Amino acid sequence: MQYIAITKEYFDKVNGNSYFSTRIEDVKNDRMYILPFQYGYGTQSEHETKKVIKCFNKNVSWNDIKFIKIDRCLKREVKQHGQGIEENYISNPGYYYQD
């Protein structure tokens, strides 16, 4: 595994919407990429993860990424999981990075 993606999910029962945030660990380069709190359900977090990784590794395949999904989290847990340092925010496609 070259990447480990840990996703936390929150389901808003009142409005019927799902949200997630993801932390992607680049094992080889010792870096962390963070997808902030956002709307999405099903495998959306996996597709967004691959989209971010493809920004700097065009040859990534699904087999290079280990996906771990934690559902039924509290909203504050998911928001906290998706927080990064503001000056490390890359607006397109929308993630934070940490060395």
Side-chain angles (χ1 to χ4, degrees):
M1 289 299 130
Q2 188 172 350
Y3 303 96
I4 301 170
I6 301 174
T7 298
K8 289 191 175 186
E9 289 186 339
Y10 160 71
F11 181 71
D12 178 359
K13 294 176 189 170
V14 174
N15 298 308
N17 295 321
S18 296
Y19 299 89
F20 72 90
S21 63
T22 303
R23 288 183 175 250
I24 307 162
E25 182 182 352
D26 183 340
V27 177
K28 184 177 176 183
N29 297 313
D30 194 29
R31 289 199 174 142
M32 178 78 66
Y33 304 95
I34 303 169
L35 293 169
F37 183 82
Q38 57 192 285
Y39 171 79
Y41 62 93
T43 60
Q44 182 71 32
S45 62
E46 294 174 9
H47 290 282
E48 294 298 320
T49 295
K50 191 167 182 189
K51 185 166 101 176
V52 166
I53 294 171
K54 279 195 165 273
C55 289
F56 47 85
N57 182 353
K58 303 286 187 210
N59 298 321
V60 69
S61 75
W62 290 107
N63 295 330
D64 296 329
I65 309 167
K66 175 165 179 68
F67 294 102
I68 300 169
K69 193 175 284 191
I70 304 167
D71 58 0
R72 297 188 180 132
C73 294
L74 298 174
K75 183 177 183 178
R76 69 174 177 262
E77 290 175 314
V78 178
K79 281 190 166 192
Q80 184 178 21
H81 186 69
Q83 288 180 334
I85 300 169
E86 202 59 42
E87 59 262 15
N88 292 349
Y89 185 72
I90 308 298
S91 61
N92 189 7
Y95 68 92
Y96 298 94
Y97 75 92
Q98 293 178 348
D99 284 333

